[in-house]
Amino acid sequence: MKILVVGSGGREHALAWKLAQSERVQTVYVAPGNGGTALDTRLVNVEITDPAALADFVVAEHVALTLVGPEAPLAAGIVNLFRSRGLKIFGPTREAAQLESSKDFAKAFMQRHGIPTAKYQSFSDAAQAHAYVDANGAPIVIKADGLAAGKGVVVAMTLEEAHAAVDHMLSDNAFGDAGARIVIEEFLAGEEASFIVMCDGKNVLPMATSQDHKRLKDADQGPNTGGMGAYSPAPIVTPAMHARVMREIINPTIQGMAKDGIQFTGFLYAGLMIDSEGNPRTLEFNCRMGDPETQPIMSRLKSDYVTVLEHACNGTLDAVELEWDRRTAVGVVMAASGYPDNPRKGDVIDGIPAETAECITFHAGTTLADGVLKTNGGRVLCVVGLGDSVKMAQKQAYDVVDQIRFDGAQFRRDIGWRGMK
Ligand code: AMP
Ligand code: GLY
């Protein structure tokens, strides 16, 4: 059968790589894909991004199933469109994707359904927002309501930073419509984890746990990014914590959406903050897999993912039990010069070794032109190492990172450090 993966990042490369391993698959198309999906002989890049044109392509090529990576097409309603044309697609509808596409929607939803999260209030008036900041003090967190490609959150450690963030979003209109409304919320301390499940509308199937590294530099210093590396599993999510998150966050979210008249299908990703007493709270919801979390997670998945996706589209995820590699996977992101503010494109990339059983290099912002691989975006590669401990997985990943060269490459040396405590 033929499968289509929508997107062009490292997440989509990892999903397509995994799907292509299935004996049941003839072709995996990636739209639009990247330099890595172009190089992989089992994958075929398709230069289409418009959802209606993608649906036409799926009909013409008899594609059996479509999997969507990024949030933007989901929020724009690609699942609604495909389903209206009778095409099989895994993801949330536009309505369900509001859990990610509007922070105000997500916060009101969590409050209504008693799902643990930071205290908050929403504002579209700058004077009222400033007054709320003064009344609550710093640290405090300011978030643009809409999708802002990972740039819409300011964790303000001082009142000055908080007021500046309010002005930037509400008065300077920095994010356009996405920032015309903001959420101001309580600062939560603790350790983060990514908790990702698949939902078919009724059944919930948890993926392996993982932990991202948001800051650009070692020891969690420097600016926030889309994620500089991730590892799986995350030891902070013990079996007891797993059960608690399912009971207090994931199940109430799926049931709450149903009560509100929205059937949830697709990936549900709860970004958790776990405090020093072990209480999990939801920082945010995403309605897709994480990037870079997908790269280590898919590297550990042993089950045939095509079969899993079929069950997900047919509402029979209760029949699936996922099998995971017992090893730890550590994924190190190599980013371009200037990332995250102003990534440079066009640097030639050399030295990527062939995949082994211990190390896979997934591409993100890369492009292949006339046989030359060049940087083409902020996060360029994600090198995933597998090993019997975090330390051994790290060694596998960094041995390969050290062989790869492109000008201005930025990466952290400490991915996985919390897992070694
Ligand atoms: P979000 O996109 O909402 O996950 O926010 C991006 C990052 O900002 C999170 O991964 C956290 O590191 C940080 N963050 C968001 N909300 C809070 C909060 N209420 N308290 C502390 N840090 C936060
Ligand atoms: N790695 C964080 C995200 O995908 O949102």
Side-chain angles (χ1 to χ4, degrees), residues 347-364:
D347 289 304
V348 174
I349 306 166
D350 276 317
I352 300 178
E355 176 186 326
T356 64
E358 288 78 36
C359 196
I360 311 134
T361 302
F362 295 110
H363 292 231

Side-chain angles (χ1 to χ4, degrees), residues 6-79:
V6 177
S8 64
R11 164 183 52 212
E12 289 76 28
H13 188 188
L15 290 168
W17 169 89
K18 178 64 201 171
L19 289 165
Q21 289 171 3
S22 172
E23 281 169 9
R24 304 178 52 209
V25 160
Q26 177 191 346
T27 311
V28 179
Y29 295 106
V30 191
N34 57 38
T37 53
L39 279 167
D40 189 327
T41 52
R42 299 162 309 171
L43 309 177
V44 178
N45 283 359
V46 180
E47 285 297 321
I48 305 176
T49 48
D50 173 63
L54 279 172
D56 292 339
F57 174 83
V58 160
V59 172
E61 294 299 326
H62 306 288
V63 171
L65 216 155
T66 299
L67 176 60
V68 187
E71 60 274 21
L74 296 167
I78 191 171
V79 170

Side-chain angles (χ1 to χ4, degrees), residues 324-339:
W324 300 99
D325 192 325
R326 296 185 69 84
R327 292 177 299 171
T328 294
V330 170
V332 179
V333 168
M334 299 183 76
S337 169
Y339 180 75

Side-chain angles (χ1 to χ4, degrees), residues 212 214 226 269 286 288 290-293:
D212 190 8
K214 291 261 153 80
Y269 164 158
N286 297 314
R288 50 169 177 81
D291 190 341
E293 292 93 324

Side-chain angles (χ1 to χ4, degrees), residues 274-288:
I274 300 170
D275 71 16
S276 53
E277 276 129 51
N279 300 302
R281 288 189 184 76
T282 311
L283 287 180
E284 65 161 346
F285 284 120
N286 297 314
C287 296
R288 50 169 177 81

Side-chain angles (χ1 to χ4, degrees), residues 62-368:
H62 306 288
V63 171
L65 216 155
T66 299
L67 176 60
V68 187
E71 60 274 21
L74 296 167
I78 191 171
V79 170
N80 306 60
L81 175 81
F82 270 54
R83 287 198 188 144
S84 74
R85 296 184 57 173
L87 305 173
K88 260 190 198 178
I89 185 164
F90 184 65
T93 59
R94 182 194 294 116
E95 295 70 32
Q98 288 177 95
L99 274 182
E100 174 167 6
S101 64
S102 168
K103 304 245 187 225
D104 181 40
F105 177 95
K107 295 295 290 191
F109 172 85
M110 285 190 266
Q111 198 167 53
R112 191 159 66 242
H113 295 286
I115 294 160
T117 188
K119 282 200 281 296
Y120 85 107
Q121 213 162 302
S122 295
F123 299 92
S124 45
D125 178 83
Q128 287 175 11
H130 286 300
Y132 184 83
V133 166
D134 281 329
N136 285 275
I140 194 162
V141 182
I142 321 287
K143 301 184 173 184
D145 173 51
L147 294 178
K151 293 188 178 143
V153 175
V154 175
V155 180
M157 298 315 288
T158 64
L159 279 177
E160 202 175 26
E161 282 174 82
H163 287 301
V166 169
D167 282 333
H168 187 59
M169 291 182 200
L170 284 181
S171 310
D172 307 345
N173 219 8
F175 299 110
D177 282 351
R181 174 175 283 275
I182 61 173
V183 163
I184 304 185
E185 70 179 31
E186 172 196 7
F187 171 84
L188 299 178
E191 183 170 336
E192 289 182 55
S194 303
F195 200 102
I196 307 174
V197 302
M198 294 176 73
C199 303
D200 63 9
K202 310 190 283 287
N203 307 293
V204 176
L205 181 69
M207 307 293 286
T209 59
S210 59
Q211 198 169 46
D212 190 8
H213 299 62
K214 291 261 153 80
R215 302 299 190 106
L216 182 68
K217 297 196 183 291
D218 283 13
D220 293 334
Q221 302 296 305
N224 259 318
T225 70
M228 291 300 291
Y231 68 106
S232 171
I236 183 152
V237 186
T238 58
M241 178 65 68
H242 197 280
R244 188 166 168 194
V245 172
M246 288 298 290
R247 192 170 65 239
E248 293 180 10
I249 296 174
I250 300 295
N251 292 333
T253 299
I254 306 295
Q255 287 155 12
M257 289 295 273
K259 273 188 208 145
D260 292 350
I262 302 175
Q263 190 186 45
F264 194 93
T265 52
F267 293 104
L268 179 66
Y269 164 158
L272 305 177
M273 184 69 90
I274 300 170
D275 71 16
S276 53
E277 276 129 51
N279 300 302
R281 288 189 184 76
T282 311
L283 287 180
E284 65 161 346
F285 284 120
N286 297 314
C287 296
R288 50 169 177 81
M289 283 288 280
D291 190 341
E293 292 93 324
T294 305
Q295 292 85 317
I297 290 175
M298 281 296 140
S299 302
R300 291 185 57 223
L301 184 60
K302 289 176 135 176
S303 315
D304 180 318
Y305 203 51
V306 172
T307 305
V308 176
L309 273 183
E310 273 183 330
H311 281 292
C313 288
N314 295 340
T316 51
L317 274 180
D318 52 335
V320 178
E321 210 168 318
L322 295 177
E323 201 192 332
W324 300 99
D325 192 325
R326 296 185 69 84
R327 292 177 299 171
T328 294
V330 170
V332 179
V333 168
M334 299 183 76
S337 169
Y339 180 75
D341 290 336
N342 197 12
R344 185 171 75 199
K345 295 183 179 177
D347 289 304
V348 174
I349 306 166
D350 276 317
I352 300 178
E355 176 186 326
T356 64
E358 288 78 36
C359 196
I360 311 134
T361 302
F362 295 110
H363 292 231
T366 70
T367 177
L368 184 69

